[in-house]
Amino acid sequence: MCGIFGAASSSHVHKDLIEGLSKLEYRGYDSAGLTLISKSNKIKRLRCTGKVVALKKLLATNNLMGNCGIAHTRWATHGVPNLKNSHPHNYGGFSIVHNGIIENFEEIKTFLSKKSHKFSSDTDSEVIAHLLEYFSKKHSKLSDILLNTFKKLKGSFALGIVYEKDPDKIIVASNGSPLLIGMGKNANYISSDINALISKTKKYISLDDNEFGIITKDKIELFNVKGKRIKRSASVTKQNTNAISKNGYKHFMQKEIFEQKDIITRVIKDKLGTSKILPNIFGPKSDSMLKSIKHVHFVACGTSYNASLVAKYWIEEVSDIMCTAEIASEYRYRTINVPKDTLFVAISQSGETADTIYSLKKAKQSKYRSILSICNVAESTITRLSDYSYLMQAGPEVSVASTKAFTSQLIALLLLATTLSRASDSKLESKIINQIKSLPRILSKTFELEKKMQLIAKQFKNKNHTLFLGRGASYPIALEAALKLKEISYIHAEGYAAGELKHGPLALVDKNMPVVGLMPDNNLVTQVLSNLAEVKARQGLVYIFTNKKMKLKKNDKTNIISMPACGHYIAPLVYVIPMQLLSYYVAINKKTNIDQPRNLAKSVTVE
Ligand code: F6R
């Protein structure tokens, strides 16, 4: 999704801007641009559709330099991805880059059009530059121009602004969209993403909602919406620069799939004792807070939502706690009932997903016992807003399609379920811990299926549709398998609770339809097998992933993929691995853009 980077420095910043933008590329975007303040204090803008490398070429051709500048990668929301809609947007000496959505932009546009403003793009963002110009005619002090402009904006925004009349300053503002200020030597930086800052500095300040800042190479001033000065101490990120490389893999997704075993091994070392979870892994005093919990409400999007569905199965199985899992974009707009002693849990890899942030803010206004987040980014908005937080420490996930974040979320959620089980079953903890500890060994065996997945992928590459079926906690894994396949291979795929098959989707099954059954050896095997028999009876192509020993009749066209034996609780973590590999290799066969699938963005910072 859109990304912002900017720099004010004692030396030229054009290279920094390109480097910053290239660190934001993984988020997904369709155009890029930058503004530099030239030696003669004029704003000079360059924009291009397509990739940052094209902007870099443009920069070299134009030989543009300056000590202060802002840059942007745009993921189109309002207005198609073309040159005129790319950021920065300029007007009256102001140049702006914007992440988020200005909800009242039509209203502002109408108002300013009546005052003879001519707009040159279809974006919501352009009105910001026009509003700044409008107020600059009414006020001479920069802070007055800014305050009046910000007051008029409704919606979410992270802003980077430069102004010809204050040529050494970058102005930043934030409301509902993240913005960080990196503190360097003789230079300060702005970025919407910590990944773009860490090669410059690890010291940063994050802007909260309704705050703005004025930044020069050696000064950072922060203000609230009333113009009152704010003091904020700097944080230091632990993230390192090396984490964002492919390490010899062809794609980030491939690297991230194969990192999963090591991440789980690290969790085992960091979070588990011999037979117990270490104290307070969900934050200071979290164990005693969790003791009082009677209900859990999970809220998340996409893959993170699928993880929450698995957690619902786990928690209700191991405790007396009632649990709901809900998609954030639904939760944020509906009426909610919060029973006494309910824990709200936001799950988000990025910690910046707009719908999840809004849901969390709504939860903070409701009568929850506590707000817990499970997140991969320490610096994220969701982590900062939560009472308790669990950091997945999976390292940056660069591929748009989430893999290692999903299994890291699952481990965190299994640990949460286990902690919540203590009140009703004191013996379960050591049993689950033993299963978790067996995971690295079992995952090594599971990865041995890679070659098989490459072969199966060839059988999928020309299919138009696929069904994934599972029961119990394998049902959310079927949903996740379908999500992975559709997002990176563009094959239409659906995940279904196997029992739902004959309530509709069976109508789709014919000899061209691959149907994947996820069938860990548990009390649901008979049911899943009878659902798959319904598929076979209609000539569907059946692929069963199972650790149950099964004999096939001669001439049976079913494909059985033998999975390593694994404990009941960890099965979702094991069964998702071949699904990730399958999607990856189908996408390889289809030659799609695996790490940045079309139309998708890594961190969905608009609703
Ligand atoms: C799919 C995927 C998305 C994200 C979703 C939520 O592979 O990655 O569905 O899971 O956009 O993102 P986070 O977890 O960052 O809130």
Side-chain angles (χ1 to χ4, degrees):
M1 222 146 242
C2 297
I4 290 176
F5 188 81
S9 170
S10 52
S11 36
H12 289 151
V13 298
H14 55 288
K15 286 191 182 145
D16 298 332
L17 297 189
I18 295 293
E19 189 193 324
L21 285 190
S22 63
K23 298 273 164 57
L24 299 172
E25 286 194 287
Y26 79 96
R27 298 162 66 96
Y29 68 105
D30 36 56
S31 60
L34 59 80
T35 291
L36 281 160
I37 302 278
S38 72
K39 249 191 178 162
S40 54
N41 293 341
K42 291 278 165 235
I43 53 174
K44 298 279 178 198
R45 175 177 70 178
L46 292 174
R47 301 184 292 177
C48 67
T49 52
K51 297 293 169 194
V52 172
V53 61
L55 187 68
K56 191 177 173 182
K57 275 191 194 145
L58 211 57
L59 187 68
T61 327
N62 284 271
N63 197 23
L64 217 62
M65 285 174 205
N67 290 10
C68 185
I70 50 174
H72 193 259
T73 46
R74 174 175 187 254
W75 187 85
T77 56
H78 291 69
V80 296
N82 60 17
L83 201 62
K84 71 171 185 177
N85 290 335
S86 317
H87 295 218
H89 292 287
N90 293 357
Y91 200 74
F94 290 94
S95 183
I96 70 108
V97 288
H98 168 223
N99 287 359
I101 290 179
I102 303 301
E103 285 162 11
N104 58 338
F105 82 102
E106 298 275 21
E107 202 182 295
I108 298 171
K109 225 170 170 172
T110 312
F111 168 76
L112 291 174
S113 297
K114 285 185 190 145
K115 311 226 170 282
S116 313
H117 281 240
K118 297 266 176 290
F119 290 85
S120 51
S121 79
D122 308 317
T123 66
D124 54 329
S125 312
E126 193 190 356
V127 298
I128 302 165
H130 284 253
L131 264 186
L132 286 162
E133 191 272 348
Y134 173 75
F135 285 114
S136 72
K137 293 272 155 66
K138 298 192 173 302
H139 305 277
S140 55
K141 259 178 77 186
L142 180 63
S143 56
D144 289 336
I145 301 170
L146 298 174
L147 280 170
N148 279 289
T149 302
F150 300 149
K151 256 186 231 161
K152 281 268 179 267
L153 301 176
K154 288 199 185 122
S156 62
F157 52 85
L159 290 174
I161 304 167
V162 286
Y163 183 30
E164 280 180 353
K165 289 198 178 149
D166 271 302
D168 56 346
K169 292 184 177 131
I170 300 180
I171 297 138
V172 286
S174 166
N175 185 39
S177 200
L179 202 80
L180 306 173
I181 304 166
M183 303 156 88
K185 251 195 188 159
N186 298 322
N188 286 314
Y189 305 91
I190 66 163
S191 179
S192 52
D193 185 325
I194 191 79
N195 289 317
L197 283 183
I198 45 179
S199 65
K200 297 284 166 211
T201 175
K202 294 201 161 196
K203 218 167 141 194
Y204 71 95
I205 293 172
S206 48
L207 223 54
D208 281 344
D209 282 356
N210 296 311
E211 289 181 354
F212 72 97
I214 299 178
I215 293 151
T216 62
K217 64 179 172 28
D218 41 25
K219 201 165 164 195
I220 297 168
E221 295 175 294
L222 301 185
F223 305 89
N224 69 14
V225 77
K226 292 192 174 119
K228 252 188 115 187
R229 205 172 275 225
I230 305 165
K231 277 206 173 138
R232 170 128 343 122
S233 43
S235 310
V236 179
T237 179
K238 289 194 184 114
Q239 199 168 300
N240 69 53
T241 29
N242 301 332
I244 310 167
S245 84
K246 287 189 195 143
N247 260 354
Y249 286 94
K250 202 164 171 215
H251 296 98
F252 279 107
M253 183 180 182
Q254 188 188 24
K255 174 192 160 220
E256 288 159 6
I257 290 174
F258 283 95
E259 273 174 352
Q260 294 178 102
K261 193 187 110 189
D262 290 345
I263 296 169
I264 289 170
T265 307
R266 196 160 62 231
V267 172
I268 292 170
K269 192 167 149 272
D270 291 354
K271 311 279 187 204
L272 303 183
T274 323
S275 58
K276 281 201 160 308
I277 301 170
L278 294 178
N280 298 317
I281 61 162
F282 295 97
K285 302 198 178 133
S286 54
D287 284 351
S288 70
M289 177 276 289
L290 289 171
K291 258 189 198 158
S292 64
I293 293 305
K294 301 274 184 298
H295 301 260
V296 177
H297 287 176
F298 287 111
V299 173
C301 302
T303 287
S304 301
Y305 167 69
N306 291 340
S308 76
L309 288 173
V310 178
K312 179 176 152 64
Y313 279 95
W314 279 331
I315 290 176
E316 296 213 347
E317 184 175 337
V318 302
S319 73
D320 299 330
I321 289 167
M322 275 179 72
C323 190
T324 62
E326 190 160 352
I327 292 168
S329 54
E330 288 299 311
Y331 176 93
R332 66 179 282 194
Y333 288 115
R334 74 174 186 89
T335 309
I336 46 162
N337 292 323
V338 183
K340 195 166 177 282
D341 294 324
T342 304
L343 175 69
F344 177 92
V345 186
I347 308 174
S348 173
Q349 185 283 129
S350 62
E352 299 298 353
T353 301
D355 284 320
T356 313
I357 293 176
Y358 278 102
S359 299
L360 194 152
K361 286 180 179 168
K362 172 172 169 168
K364 278 175 90 91
Q365 306 299 318
S366 314
K367 289 192 174 145
Y368 283 97
R369 171 74 171 79
S370 290
I371 310 278
L372 165 69
S373 63
I374 293 173
C375 214
N376 196 29
V377 184
E379 298 76 15
S380 67
T381 308
I382 288 180
T383 304
R384 279 190 284 121
L385 292 178
S386 306
D387 304 330
Y388 297 86
S389 61
Y390 176 103
L391 276 178
M392 281 141 57
Q393 289 174 300
E397 190 179 63
V398 176
S399 157
V400 164
S402 186
T403 52
K404 66 174 180 174
F406 182 67
T407 44
S408 304
Q409 287 164 346
L410 288 185
I411 279 284
L413 292 164
L414 185 51
L415 295 177
L416 180 65
T418 309
T419 308
L420 293 171
S421 78
R422 285 173 182 157
S424 40
D425 186 345
S426 59
K427 292 206 184 102
L428 207 52
E429 186 160 352
S430 67
K431 185 175 169 191
I432 298 178
I433 283 182
N434 279 337
Q435 290 193 15
I436 294 176
K437 287 187 175 172
S438 69
L439 262 170
R441 176 182 52 80
I442 293 170
L443 290 189
S444 292
K445 282 201 141 314
T446 313
F447 281 117
E448 287 170 14
L449 288 172
E450 186 184 9
K451 285 243 150 58
K452 187 142 209 156
M453 291 305 113
Q454 284 173 346
L455 289 174
I456 296 180
K458 289 202 173 101
Q459 299 163 24
F460 276 63
K461 77 170 188 199
N462 294 321
K463 300 293 176 200
N464 294 322
H465 311 276
T466 301
L467 280 180
F468 291 90
L469 304 177
R471 279 180 180 251
S474 298
Y475 161 48
I477 300 303
L479 292 176
E480 177 57 13
L483 179 61
K484 283 296 84 91
L485 187 68
K486 74 180 93 160
E487 66 185 325
I488 60 165
S489 76
Y490 315 147
I491 292 176
H492 171 229
E494 300 281 354
Y496 265 98
E500 276 291 288
L501 193 65
K502 49 184 166 297
H503 297 285
L506 196 54
L508 298 170
V509 174
D510 61 14
K511 62 180 178 5
N512 295 317
M513 172 70 98
V515 180
V516 177
L518 301 171
M519 199 179 73
D521 189 2
N522 60 25
N523 60 339
L524 296 166
V525 163
T526 318
Q527 286 82 351
V528 177
L529 279 177
S530 79
N531 297 137
L532 292 170
E534 292 156 11
V535 175
K536 275 201 266 179
R538 278 135 193 110
Q539 266 89 56
L541 308 162
V542 175
Y543 296 82
I544 308 179
F545 288 74
T546 187
N547 57 314
K548 187 164 175 65
K549 297 273 169 285
M550 286 178 52
K551 274 204 190 116
L552 285 178
K553 288 186 210 124
K554 251 194 172 166
N555 298 330
D556 190 328
K557 293 220 176 83
T558 307
N559 298 282
I560 296 196
I561 297 92
S562 289
M563 296 286 292
C566 67
H568 166 67
Y569 294 106
I570 56 168
L573 284 127
V574 178
Y575 277 70
V576 77
I577 302 290
M579 299 299 104
Q580 297 170 343
L581 289 169
L582 178 65
S583 303
Y584 176 74
Y585 284 111
V586 175
I588 289 273
N589 277 289
K590 296 199 75 178
K591 298 192 171 51
T592 57
N593 185 348
I594 293 185
D595 285 333
Q596 286 173 20
R598 68 183 181 205
N599 307 339
L600 298 181
K602 182 63 190 162
S603 170
V604 184
T605 48
V606 292
E607 81 168 293

